Amino acid sequence: MTRPPIRPLTPDALLDELAEAIHARGVPDAGSVRVLVDGAAAARPDRWADGLVERLRGLSRAVLRVSAWDFLRPASLRLERGRTDPDAFYDDWLDAGALVREVLAPAAAGRPVLPRLWDVETDRAVRAARVDLPPGGVLLVDGPLLLGRGLPAELEVHVSLSAGALARRTPEPDAWTLPAYARYVEEVDPGALADLVVLADHPDRPALQTRE
């Protein structure tokens, strides 16, 4: 089996290519291009998503950034098995149904999107106003463990770290999440599932892997 090509790039060049790939995607009728930027917290998918905003706007695309961390379940559900249970982190933390209902489905239909749902710090719903995203806009959703959940998207990007790099770059208080990410690799294999993979063991010397 032929392995997908891997091309070392500078961070800026890699972001340029990601933006062009998003820009080239077809748009749902009257809707927006939905892009999942997936990766462990230590891989900083939020930074890659942030880097895409300016480039996409430079291509005359309206952009809305949404973080999956703002669509977690209430603590009473999320932490039912304890605060440091990796299986709970994998299975129970993200409210995937709400993310589809409030963000991904409306974006495809050209309806206003709810940018935030839940404040983890206060453990309360956020009274956020819905945001209009013009037809042809781009919705960027970043966060961990997003792939393999049936979240609808036109493009999936996975920011990948090797097991060693992930362990080194994960702060000690968060080391309990490492088994969840190992399970994710074993059960979902996000590197094979994503349309584009950012190899980010060395953030200043990343590489881009594309599916043939």
Side-chain angles (χ1 to χ4, degrees):
M1 181 176 178
T2 304
R3 292 177 61 83
I6 297 174
R7 291 183 295 115
L9 296 165
T10 67
D12 284 341
L14 194 150
L15 283 167
D16 288 342
E17 292 217 14
L18 290 179
E20 289 291 347
I22 295 168
H23 187 53
R25 284 283 156 157
V27 182
D29 291 342
S32 302
V33 177
R34 300 163 297 179
V35 181
L36 302 180
V37 184
D38 168 73
R44 297 305 305 270
D46 56 327
R47 285 187 178 175
W48 292 98
D50 285 341
L52 287 169
V53 172
E54 182 179 353
R55 287 164 173 79
L56 288 166
R57 288 175 177 164
L59 295 170
S60 300
R61 303 294 290 269
V63 184
L64 177 62
R65 283 269 288 101
V66 171
S67 171
W69 293 105
D70 293 323
F71 284 82
L72 300 187
R73 291 190 170 95
S76 59
L77 300 175
R78 194 174 70 248
L79 307 179
E80 188 174 9
R81 289 188 271 176
R83 293 182 175 275
T84 59
D85 186 296
D87 288 325
F89 177 60
Y90 187 95
D91 294 321
D92 302 333
W93 278 44
L94 178 67
D95 192 342
L99 193 57
V100 173
R101 183 179 66 251
E102 304 293 353
V103 180
L104 295 167
R111 301 195 307 270
V113 169
L114 187 68
R116 297 183 68 206
L117 177 65
W118 199 258
D119 187 323
V120 176
E121 296 299 324
T122 63
D123 199 34
R124 293 183 178 181
V126 176
R127 297 184 179 275
R130 292 185 177 272
V131 177
D132 287 311
L133 190 57
V138 177
L139 172 71
L140 296 172
V141 179
D142 71 86
L145 309 174
L146 295 181
L147 306 187
R149 295 178 179 269
L151 299 177
E154 280 62 59
L155 190 73
E156 295 177 337
V157 179
H158 174 62
V159 185
S160 174
L161 292 179
S162 66
L166 177 60
R168 289 192 302 272
R169 289 167 56 182
T170 298
E172 181 58 33
D174 297 328
W176 64 271
T177 63
L178 294 174
Y181 292 122
R183 178 183 165 191
Y184 185 49
V185 170
E186 180 179 350
E187 295 185 4
V188 175
D189 193 1
L193 196 61
D195 300 292
L196 299 167
V197 178
V198 177
L199 304 175
D201 277 14
H202 304 283
D204 56 336
R205 292 180 284 119
L208 182 63
Q209 186 173 37
T210 57
R211 286 198 297 178
E212 291 183 322

